[in-house]
Amino acid sequence: MTDAPLDLGPQTRVVARLAEAVTDEQLADGTPCPEYAVRNVLGHLLHLSGAFRDAARKDLGATTDTPPTASLPDIGPGWREELPKVLAELADAWRDPAAWTGMTRAGGVDLPGEVGGAVAVDELVIHGWDLAVATGQRYEPDPAALQATYDFLLAAAEDPSRGGGIFGPVISVSDDATLLERTVGLSGREPGWRGQR
């Protein structure tokens, strides 16, 4: 393989721009993730970016061994500087074609590198949407990342061994739904979510 299958950079930049626009007053607002406020989605994005950066590098340890459900993710006082830095490192790590080969680990689960890359893209696209709708921002994910996420979630939904979905039961959408709406539905989220303030 001479090139990585997908450049995560465009999507990490989308997420970084969304995070930059979040106000301190919005940090306690609800999100499409029932257990998560905005600050918890930001904390999850921060932690998963570090974990999947290290998974790409095959630098296995505390970041890659911790299950995402181990504790409620949160942000610290330096998150506004830290998150864009870690997102950029994540994208850079997955630009190495070797990241997509062999075995690695994320969330305490051993998995092929190509699956790790697919999960990283999926997390960035879906949690980017969570963040955007929770904070009233327009969401335009990277088209290549969105298509890869749709393909990944569709395959998971059609695999009975995975229980019909990764994030939760699939939500049906209309026949004329956009690719983003179909992808959000496959993630177990309601594409029309508008939240509670």
Side-chain angles (χ1 to χ4, degrees), residues 109-152:
V109 177
D110 292 324
L111 67 175
E114 63 186 313
V115 174
V119 173
V121 174
D122 170 72
E123 293 272 352
L124 291 168
V125 169
I126 297 301
H127 291 306
W129 180 84
D130 290 335
L131 187 60
V133 297
T135 57
Q137 298 186 63
R138 183 177 178 83
Y139 187 46
E140 295 182 354
D142 170 57
L146 176 60
Q147 184 66 57
T149 299
Y150 174 79
D151 294 342
F152 177 71

Side-chain angles (χ1 to χ4, degrees), residues 37-62:
V38 169
R39 67 180 304 118
N40 305 124
V41 170
L42 288 164
H44 183 57
L45 282 163
L46 181 59
H47 298 153
L48 76 86
S49 295
F52 281 96
R53 171 201 63 200
D54 294 344
R57 295 171 176 172
K58 313 294 197 289
D59 183 12
L60 308 183

Side-chain angles (χ1 to χ4, degrees), residues 30-119:
T31 74
C33 301
E35 307 293 319
Y36 284 13
V38 169
R39 67 180 304 118
N40 305 124
V41 170
L42 288 164
H44 183 57
L45 282 163
L46 181 59
H47 298 153
L48 76 86
S49 295
F52 281 96
R53 171 201 63 200
D54 294 344
R57 295 171 176 172
K58 313 294 197 289
D59 183 12
L60 308 183
T63 59
T64 60
D65 290 350
T66 305
T69 55
S71 62
L72 188 66
D74 205 350
I75 47 174
W79 74 270
R80 290 188 183 276
E81 295 74 36
E82 191 177 358
L83 182 55
K85 176 178 178 288
V86 178
L87 284 165
E89 292 171 350
L90 169 69
D92 188 58
W94 286 98
R95 288 188 182 106
D96 182 352
W100 300 81
T101 64
M103 293 296 291
T104 190
R105 185 181 309 130
V109 177
D110 292 324
L111 67 175
E114 63 186 313
V115 174
V119 173

